[in-house]
Amino acid sequence: MTALPILPPEIIEKIIAVLPLPEVCNCMLVCKEWKELLSSEQFCKNYVLSHYDFDDEEEPSGHLQSWNDPDDSWFYYWDENDDKSNVWVFSDPPKRWKCGIVHLADYSLGSHKELKYKDFFQAVYILTRIQNAAEEFGLDCGAWANEGSGEVETCLFPWTKDTLPTAEDVITCFHFNPEMHKDPLVNEKIAEMEDEENSDDEDSESGHVSWNTLGTSYDVHVKKAKTFFNWMQKIFSPMIRIAIGCDSMNPVPCFILAKIAPGWVGGVLTSLSLT
């Protein structure tokens, strides 16, 4: 029997570089040599820059548009005379890369001198998996004791401290209106994962699953959804959940954050309707 030829590392790298990110991570499990090759700083840099568009969107959409449009019907004004000149949520609004990740207004990859692409690669992988799950399972976010829900998207920002950011840190980093400093809603409790079947048949695969205020639609594959939430629960431990707003606005921004890679905090950005 003829032995299979051993491909040079540069050929292996080129072949694997065309795969989707989750498959690249699976390839890292093949052997020690592949893990070292695919975890190198150069491979990680080449991969994320060739597969993801880190140019900013030209026009804000979704949450970012709602929170910065004075004419948006979601806003409740906190000025006594309903002065729309003070209705802004962010003094310097966050931006969204075309790959769908929200980032701080004053951050760019090009100006990050000490950026380690190996760590950035890890953060992007986690957020990509959340984005894919949001689409596959129809994820939304239901507040604690609220009457509404918000669309789920992802956010990421550099963070070098040993501890997770506080509500005040998030308010400062994201340049919130000073009004938002008043009594931000903070809840660090991690809820138990729950599932709710839509069918009387106990063996039904279709149903609803929720964890930590995140919930699926009511016709998803329960086992797949539970697998995702079990994975996410490990990544987001410890975590912090922060809703930042005041009684005079609706909806309020909500963050579910964890240290998802060395030097990076990221997770879910969504909105909570509190009325």
Side-chain angles (χ1 to χ4, degrees):
M1 181 177 179
T2 304
L4 293 175
I6 299 177
L7 296 176
E10 59 270 20
I11 300 300
I12 295 175
E13 184 175 322
K14 287 182 179 180
I15 294 173
I16 296 178
V18 303
L19 298 175
L21 184 51
E23 296 303 320
V24 174
C25 294
N26 288 337
C27 289
M28 292 181 181
L29 304 177
V30 171
C31 62
K32 180 180 178 180
E33 289 75 16
W34 280 29
K35 182 176 182 180
E36 291 178 354
L37 176 66
L38 304 179
S39 299
S40 69
E41 185 72 8
Q42 191 60 48
F43 176 84
C44 291
K45 178 179 180 179
N46 292 341
Y47 187 90
V48 296
L49 294 183
S50 62
H51 284 260
Y52 291 84
D53 191 342
F54 293 106
D55 290 331
D56 290 329
E57 293 180 344
E58 288 80 7
E59 296 293 336
S61 60
H63 295 124
L64 301 189
Q65 180 183 16
S66 297
W67 290 325
N68 290 281
D69 184 356
D71 294 322
D72 195 293
S73 60
W74 278 105
F75 277 113
Y76 291 172
Y77 308 124
W78 48 76
D79 290 280
E80 292 182 1
N81 299 317
D82 289 347
D83 179 8
K84 291 187 178 182
S85 66
N86 191 34
V87 75
W88 50 272
V89 177
F90 305 100
S91 61
D92 196 2
K95 300 176 182 178
R96 186 188 291 107
W97 287 315
K98 290 181 179 179
C99 63
I101 300 173
V102 174
H103 65 93
L104 302 178
D106 49 8
Y107 177 80
S108 68
L109 288 177
S111 62
H112 193 155
K113 296 181 180 179
E114 298 181 359
L115 174 62
K116 295 182 179 179
Y117 278 92
K118 179 179 178 180
D119 299 331
F120 186 63
F121 179 96
Q122 177 181 331
V124 170
Y125 164 70
I126 291 172
L127 297 184
T128 297
R129 190 162 177 180
I130 294 174
Q131 289 174 338
N132 292 340
E135 181 176 354
E136 179 180 0
F137 302 128
L139 294 183
D140 64 13
C141 183
W144 48 96
N146 85 315
E147 299 178 3
S149 61
E151 180 183 352
V152 168
E153 59 180 311
T154 57
C155 65
L156 181 68
F157 57 95
W159 190 256
T160 57
K161 296 181 181 179
D162 293 333
T163 57
L164 282 167
T166 64
E168 193 65 29
D169 290 328
V170 174
I171 288 171
T172 300
C173 289
F174 280 85
H175 306 288
F176 275 90
N177 187 311
E179 289 285 341
M180 306 299 183
H181 289 252
K182 300 176 181 178
D183 301 321
L185 306 171
V186 181
N187 187 323
E188 300 181 36
K189 180 181 179 181
I190 298 179
E192 294 295 327
M193 184 170 63
E194 301 173 352
D195 65 274
E196 178 181 338
E197 300 289 347
N198 277 342
S199 171
D200 293 333
D201 183 357
E202 293 183 358
D203 296 326
S204 173
E205 293 184 348
S206 179
H208 168 75
V209 182
S210 63
W211 170 78
N212 195 25
T213 75
L214 298 180
T216 68
S217 61
Y218 281 82
D219 57 353
V220 302
H221 192 290
V222 170
K223 187 175 181 179
K224 287 183 178 180
K226 283 186 175 182
T227 298
F228 165 72
F229 280 131
N230 283 330
W231 167 83
M232 191 171 179
Q233 185 166 318
K234 293 177 182 178
I235 300 296
F236 282 72
S237 181
M239 52 76 70
I240 187 167
R241 182 174 58 190
I242 308 171
I244 299 173
C246 59
D247 291 339
S248 303
M249 71 167 293
N250 183 42
V252 298
C254 177
F255 298 84
I256 300 175
L257 301 172
K259 297 179 71 174
I260 59 176
W264 295 97
V265 162
V268 169
L269 170 61
T270 184
S271 61
L272 303 180
S273 303
L274 301 178
T275 61

